[in-house]
Amino acid sequence: MLVTTTPNIEGKRITKYIGLVNGEAIIGANFFKDFLANIRDVVGGRSGSYEQGLREAKSIAIREMMDQAQRLGANAVIGVDIDLETIGGNSSMLMVSANGTAVCYE
């Protein structure tokens, strides 16, 4: 399945607009990850554990969006937007959502 952030597919003709599709993933931050991230904030550097968690959440959200599009008969998702939002008490969780328009193209 083709997934793109653009509103069209270069060199292809969209034959059917099916509609909005989306996927979500929520990841929680545990105490140990928070502790290590706070240390890195003080001394500089990147938080590998958070980066890995974010990559996984993004992959899950995109995969869910693609699965929904496929179930609807689409062969592509265009205009994809990925949003991040902190939720929960003390913003202890991160929600990643992927949204786009399911289409058929030839």
Side-chain angles (χ1 to χ4, degrees), residues 58-81:
K58 186 173 85 169
S59 292
I60 290 167
I62 291 171
R63 191 170 340 125
E64 282 187 3
M65 179 187 65
M66 290 170 55
D67 290 346
Q68 183 181 14
Q70 188 173 28
R71 285 191 305 275
L72 295 171
N75 61 359
V77 182
I78 61 171
V80 173
D81 179 50

Side-chain angles (χ1 to χ4, degrees), residues 12-88:
K12 302 293 183 184
R13 185 172 70 90
I14 295 175
T15 58
K16 183 178 182 183
Y17 288 85
I18 296 172
L20 180 66
V21 289
N22 56 49
E24 297 87 20
I26 298 175
I27 57 172
N30 66 33
F31 176 78
F32 185 66
K33 283 183 181 178
D34 286 342
F35 178 73
L36 291 178
N38 287 335
I39 290 173
R40 284 191 183 93
D41 285 344
V42 172
V43 298
R46 296 170 60 171
S47 176
S49 59
Y50 275 120
E51 289 175 359
Q52 180 61 31
L54 182 56
R55 276 191 293 275
E56 289 175 18
K58 186 173 85 169
S59 292
I60 290 167
I62 291 171
R63 191 170 340 125
E64 282 187 3
M65 179 187 65
M66 290 170 55
D67 290 346
Q68 183 181 14
Q70 188 173 28
R71 285 191 305 275
L72 295 171
N75 61 359
V77 182
I78 61 171
V80 173
D81 179 50
I82 298 172
D83 292 314
L84 308 168
E85 181 81 30
T86 56
I87 60 175

